[in-house]
Amino acid sequence: MKKRYANLDHVSSGNSLPDLLRWQNERRKNQKDLSMLIEQAPHKESNRLIANRTEASITWIGHSTFLIQMNGINMITDPVWASRMPIMKRLTEPGIKLNELPEIDIVFISHGHYDHLDFPTLRRLKGKPTYFVPAGLKNAFKRRGYKKVVEAEWYDSFLLDDLTFTFVPAQHWTKRTLTDTNTSHWGGWIIESKEHSVYFVGDTGYFRGFQEIAAKFTIQTVLMPIGAYEPDWFMKVDHINPEDAVKAFLELSGKTFIPMHYGAYHLADDTGPEAIERLDIEWNRRQLDPSQLKKMLIGETYWL
């Protein structure tokens, strides 16, 4: 029998078929205007990124895909360049074309959902990367011919050239076929060097794990999801809303908040502009330092 993974405190994730049908019925009655899109950066820095082996940088490709450069190592999170998921078209173009990326050394996968793990994209990446994946996903890579695959359970850590990678909990679920629900794990990745720490949160609802992670790590930059949260009754366990994302950031004692997981796909009933507007309102309501919130344009590079 295949192992099935679970959330902290065995919080139930995923909804019943009646819940799904109820949501789809509500969705048909409340169509959103999808013409308002997240902006692309006017100037991309592809040439500088390709040549860079000394400076630390974070480039938002879109959705949950970031190019992260630290200690001369090129890393990428949940790389998805697909123009279409199985049932939905991508709303925004990736911020940098695949052929304009530098050679990739490390790929981090948060979980197996199609908007986070796209094997056709992986085949087209430059370089010969090592893939760091959640427990239960290694065989899916091996079957496709990938040999440099490292599986991780929550809080497993790995050391490479003065960088430490740690797989940390998230509250979510996963499924790629009719029979593989939760047969692989889900989580986020913390990347630490002597100078920087970046926490790629992955896909998650709000959960006590943020406090647990804060007790174990010193977090500087947080790549935090803010989208796919409506309707609340259906999405709350699996996707964090902007207000709870700010709450989690404060619990983490982070220095810089970079929002993600919005604007690329219409995964729920909210839109990208709505998510950003709610994030701004909550940030201002709490009277937080504006310099700590870095709302990146698609394709923009943030030099640490």
Side-chain angles (χ1 to χ4, degrees), residues 45-59 66-77 96 100-106 108 163 191 193 196 198 301-304:
E45 301 188 70
S46 301
N47 290 337
R48 183 179 176 187
L49 292 171
I50 290 173
N52 178 41
R53 286 288 178 176
T54 57
E55 298 179 87
S57 74
I58 298 173
T59 302
F66 289 88
L67 171 67
I68 301 172
Q69 298 180 307
M70 292 169 63
N71 287 26
I73 296 176
N74 294 322
M75 300 165 277
I76 200 162
T77 64
I96 294 180
E100 294 177 348
L101 286 176
E103 292 193 354
I104 302 300
D105 303 300
I106 301 292
F108 295 109
L163 288 179
I191 306 165
S193 71
H196 304 287
V198 177
T301 299
Y302 174 52
W303 298 93
L304 297 174

Side-chain angles (χ1 to χ4, degrees), residues 23 32 228-232 234-235 267-270 274 278:
W23 171 44
K32 292 291 182 74
Y229 52 81
E230 285 189 350
D232 182 76
F234 189 81
M235 295 292 180
L267 298 171
D269 290 348
D270 52 286
E274 286 175 335
R278 281 179 56 166

Side-chain angles (χ1 to χ4, degrees), residues 15 18 25 36 42 50 57 60 78 109 122 127 160 176 180 195 198 200 204 206 226 247 253 263 272 282 284 297:
N15 291 279
N25 185 53
M36 296 291 290
I50 290 173
S57 74
W60 190 34
D78 288 357
I109 301 296
L122 299 186
L160 176 67
R176 289 181 71 85
D180 70 348
E195 295 82 17
V198 177
F200 170 63
T204 188
Y206 174 80
I226 65 166
K247 179 182 177 181
S253 299
E282 180 66 7
N284 293 331
L297 301 177

